Amino acid sequence: MFLDFTNWQVSNNLNLLEVFFLVNSLYSLKYTGSSYARKNLNVQLNQNIYITLMDHINFAIQRQSQGIQLKNALLWEIKKFYHQEYLMGKYAIDLLNEKLGTEFLEDEAGFIALHFVNAEYNTTINDTFAMTNMIQEILELVKQELGIEFDEESLHYERFVTHLKFLVQRLYRHELLKDEEIEFARMMENKYPEEYECSKHVAAYIEKEYGSKIAGEEIMFLAIHIKRVRMTE
């Protein structure tokens, strides 16, 4: 089914289809400015974003006209875990504020960012909220368990967060790793006992809160990342 947004006007200067293509263009262009580092943002997007993002922007504009500003409880996590998508959302609200005279705050940038996350990973808004919350809870558990503070600027921390993002995605897709590297997992348990024990507690937390059993291979990879991130504390 083809949906024609070209006459869906929100002002004399801009329609919603133009908003989408201006934001979407960031994924295929290198953008240089005070808020962006030069980088390629090419990713594969689920085509449903054409509908969901347009719908979200339309309701956001309606809320704005009624003086309603929603707080984004996961804004900090979105900015940390989905930084590129947040920059896309920030660009979108800057565009809307400039063209329409709206006064969207960064909370709205976070909400828009979630639509890009959904389009990248084929998840729903509710799933993305839950996944983001799970990542934060796992990070807190590791910090408390080992009594450490993360160096959030380090490469090891960035890789740890990326690993957690893929872990929770596999969990939601029911594609968790199987126990195919049992001997290697046992070797890691002997080599990094504290990190491995911490990983087992993470697995127990996931099983208790989300009902998914984490195999030894997943625990092993968690332990490796935890060990690496501890090296930078």
Side-chain angles (χ1 to χ4, degrees):
M1 180 177 64
F2 177 75
L3 299 179
D4 184 4
F5 290 104
T6 54
N7 295 318
W8 191 358
Q9 295 288 336
V10 294
S11 80
N12 292 329
N13 301 318
L14 193 68
N15 65 47
L16 291 177
L17 187 61
E18 290 171 332
V19 172
F20 173 75
F21 279 117
L22 284 169
V23 175
N24 188 53
S25 69
L26 284 181
Y27 275 104
S28 58
L29 297 175
K30 289 181 179 178
Y31 183 90
T32 302
S34 60
S35 299
Y36 293 82
R38 179 172 297 199
K39 61 182 70 174
N40 272 319
L41 297 176
N42 290 310
V43 296
Q44 185 67 37
L45 294 177
N46 186 309
Q47 295 301 299
N48 286 338
I49 194 173
Y50 283 86
I51 299 172
T52 60
L53 186 57
M54 296 302 99
D55 191 50
H56 177 89
I57 291 175
N58 184 45
F59 280 108
I61 292 170
Q62 290 181 27
R63 292 198 311 270
Q64 179 79 186
S65 67
Q66 297 168 7
I68 301 172
Q69 293 278 12
L70 298 182
K71 296 297 293 182
N72 191 328
L74 290 177
L75 180 62
W76 184 90
E77 288 84 356
I78 292 167
K79 292 168 72 172
K80 288 290 184 180
F81 304 150
Y82 305 107
H83 186 62
Q84 291 186 2
E85 292 82 359
Y86 170 76
L87 293 179
M88 299 286 289
K90 184 66 168 59
Y91 179 83
I93 66 167
D94 288 345
L95 177 67
L96 291 167
N97 290 343
E98 175 188 352
K99 296 294 185 180
L100 304 181
T102 52
E103 297 179 352
F104 288 121
L105 305 177
E106 63 176 354
D107 294 274
E108 192 61 46
F111 289 128
I112 291 175
L114 290 178
H115 283 278
F116 285 103
V117 175
N118 294 340
E120 289 176 56
Y121 302 126
N122 290 314
T123 54
T124 67
I125 284 287
N126 289 338
D127 285 346
T128 302
F129 264 106
M131 290 163 59
T132 304
N133 190 59
M134 187 191 303
I135 293 169
Q136 181 60 30
E137 289 176 346
I138 291 172
L139 289 171
E140 284 298 319
L141 189 156
V142 173
K143 286 171 61 177
Q144 295 297 322
E145 179 85 11
L146 298 176
I148 62 174
E149 291 294 332
F150 296 125
D151 178 2
E152 297 182 359
E153 302 301 320
S154 72
L155 180 61
H156 288 318
Y157 176 79
E158 181 179 339
R159 287 175 174 171
F160 183 35
V161 169
T162 299
H163 177 78
L164 292 179
K165 286 163 64 174
F166 283 113
L167 170 61
V168 298
Q169 287 168 34
R170 290 195 298 274
L171 190 153
Y172 270 80
R173 293 173 180 172
H174 305 287
E175 297 174 355
L176 289 169
L177 300 178
K178 308 298 182 183
D179 278 326
E180 298 178 355
E181 299 287 346
I182 297 175
E183 291 302 318
F184 190 43
R186 288 174 179 167
M187 184 179 71
M188 290 297 102
E189 183 175 12
N190 292 329
K191 189 172 183 178
Y192 307 126
E194 289 186 358
E195 291 81 5
Y196 198 89
E197 188 67 20
C198 180
S199 297
K200 287 169 65 177
H201 291 166
V202 171
Y205 157 77
I206 292 174
E207 184 173 1
K208 177 182 177 182
E209 297 294 328
Y210 299 95
S212 295
K213 188 173 180 59
I214 304 299
E217 189 166 344
E218 293 279 14
I219 294 173
M220 174 192 70
F221 284 120
L222 269 173
I224 292 171
H225 281 283
I226 292 171
K227 176 61 179 179
R228 288 173 177 169
V229 84
R230 287 188 80 180
M231 294 168 59
T232 60
E233 62 170 309

